[in-house]
Amino acid sequence: MAQEFTVAVVGVGAVGEEILRVMQEHSFPAKSIRVLARTPRTISVDGRSYQVEATTAEAFDGVDIALFAGTEGEKGAAVTFGPEAVKRGAVIIDNGADFRMRPDVPLCVPEVNGAALEGHSGIIANPNCSTAQLVLTLKPLHDAFGLKRVMISTYQAVSGAGSAGIDELNAQNTQLAQGKKIDQAGPTFSAQIAANVIPHIGGFDDQGYTSEEMKLVHETRKILGDPSIRVTPMVTARVPVAIGHSEAVLVETERPVTPEAARALWREFPSLEVVDDLKNDSASKRYPMPLDCAGSDTTYVGRIRQDLDNPNGLAFWVVSDNLRKGAASNAVQIAEELIKRGLVKKR
């Protein structure tokens, strides 16, 4: 009989609800699921009710796997309760940024570096949403051609800021539709997001890069296991899209690379799908778009073309559901990979 596990899901915002949805879709081997948050209440996800309990240290007694669904803000619930959960025997998978760059914590996208989970010390970090989809495309290129440099711009959905981001966009869209003027930024974004693009996610450093941009640099190198890769984040921009992050990427490789070779590699790589038929009558077959990726665990790549001046250069476009592969699905896949590798303690 297959082993089943007691699972805790901490946080019931956009990502937390999506984790519960993904676990159901994946038929995750959970004998029980404890849903924890600041405030006890009952929630419903796809018609299934969950009783939410208050997050306390004692709530992790008997838990095998704890999935922390915190948003991108630092000092999330995993900092407060993660070490205590580990002491009580759980493996924690954290969606926040607090543990990602600790050398003793694996930062994992299972299709790319599942082996990094071996020898974990109880804490696993889920990467930033824009990094997760990016490294799926970079891994096969790096293995086949060697990556020298990656230049990237991201166009990120408002759900990357959680449920509040979606609410703010919807409210502003309604105001605009009613002919009302939006006089000031909402509480979530630094400027009006409806009918706008904000080239700013996270705080700025002394060089003018944002924390979101620097996550792309450090996390990409850690996941690919190569600190020599030069990563230049051109901009991380917030766009008025509910779900689905888009990325424009230019890579330079050690050895010449062609669009045909890249397409062949990507078609064989798990969780990737090539959408790159520019002559197709259907726009959704010509190139990937956020509207088409919502609700999918797949990352889509298209607009694949040679650098005009460099046979070692390749430009492409990447789209993925940031709540799924960028957060919830990857967290659940990490848990599945831990079980597959026998890395969850048997009680």
Side-chain angles (χ1 to χ4, degrees), residues 57-267:
E58 293 73 23
F60 294 96
D61 285 338
V63 170
D64 301 302
I65 302 168
L67 298 134
F68 284 78
T71 57
E72 286 302 310
E74 282 73 15
K75 303 298 179 286
V79 173
T80 304
F81 295 103
E84 186 63 38
V86 172
K87 284 181 186 176
R88 293 168 188 257
V91 178
I92 79 163
I93 300 166
D94 181 31
N95 189 62
D98 299 296
F99 297 103
R100 288 178 186 156
M101 298 315 300
R102 274 185 28 178
D104 60 329
V105 173
L107 180 63
C108 184
V109 176
E111 301 91 333
V112 175
N113 66 333
L117 299 174
E118 300 284 348
H120 72 81
S121 57
I123 301 174
I124 315 295
N126 207 24
N128 187 37
C129 43
S130 52
T131 306
Q133 66 188 71
L134 174 66
V135 295
L136 285 170
T137 65
L138 297 184
K139 171 64 172 174
L141 293 179
H142 192 36
D143 289 349
F145 302 105
L147 284 177
K148 290 177 63 178
R149 187 175 189 185
V150 180
M151 300 178 69
I152 176 174
S153 294
T154 72
Y155 308 89
Q156 300 184 208
V158 295
S159 55
S163 300
I166 298 174
D167 293 342
E168 191 164 311
L169 175 62
N170 289 340
Q172 291 182 2
N173 279 336
T174 298
Q175 289 176 287
L176 292 179
Q178 294 172 345
K180 297 178 180 178
K181 183 180 179 182
I182 301 171
D183 293 323
Q184 58 186 5
T188 308
F189 303 114
S190 60
Q192 173 185 321
I193 184 58
N196 197 19
V197 174
I198 306 171
H200 167 203
I201 303 175
F204 289 101
D205 65 16
D206 292 340
Q207 293 181 290
Y209 288 93
T210 68
S211 56
E212 186 79 0
E213 288 156 2
M214 294 311 297
K215 288 172 187 176
L216 286 166
V217 178
H218 302 309
E219 293 180 21
T220 296
R221 291 170 174 165
K222 181 173 179 177
I223 293 169
L224 295 178
D226 189 343
S228 72
I229 300 172
R230 295 156 60 201
V231 182
T232 302
M234 303 295 290
V235 67
T236 53
R238 190 72 73 186
V239 296
V241 170
I243 295 173
H245 287 357
S246 303
E247 300 176 343
V249 186
L250 176 66
V251 299
E252 182 183 355
T253 54
E254 298 280 355
R255 297 171 291 281
V257 59
T258 64
E260 293 75 20
R263 288 188 193 99
L265 287 170
W266 286 330
R267 287 189 178 111

Side-chain angles (χ1 to χ4, degrees), residues 14-75:
V15 173
E17 289 193 5
E18 202 66 29
I19 286 175
L20 293 170
R21 182 173 292 116
V22 171
M23 290 178 67
Q24 182 73 11
E25 292 176 7
H26 286 210
S27 299
F28 190 86
K31 62 184 176 184
S32 67
I33 299 175
R34 298 179 193 173
V35 183
L36 309 176
R38 290 176 183 160
T39 308
R41 57 195 183 277
T42 300
I43 63 168
S44 178
V45 179
D46 297 340
R48 185 172 182 176
S49 293
Y50 297 89
Q51 183 60 50
V52 181
E53 304 172 27
T55 309
T56 63
E58 293 73 23
F60 294 96
D61 285 338
V63 170
D64 301 302
I65 302 168
L67 298 134
F68 284 78
T71 57
E72 286 302 310
E74 282 73 15
K75 303 298 179 286

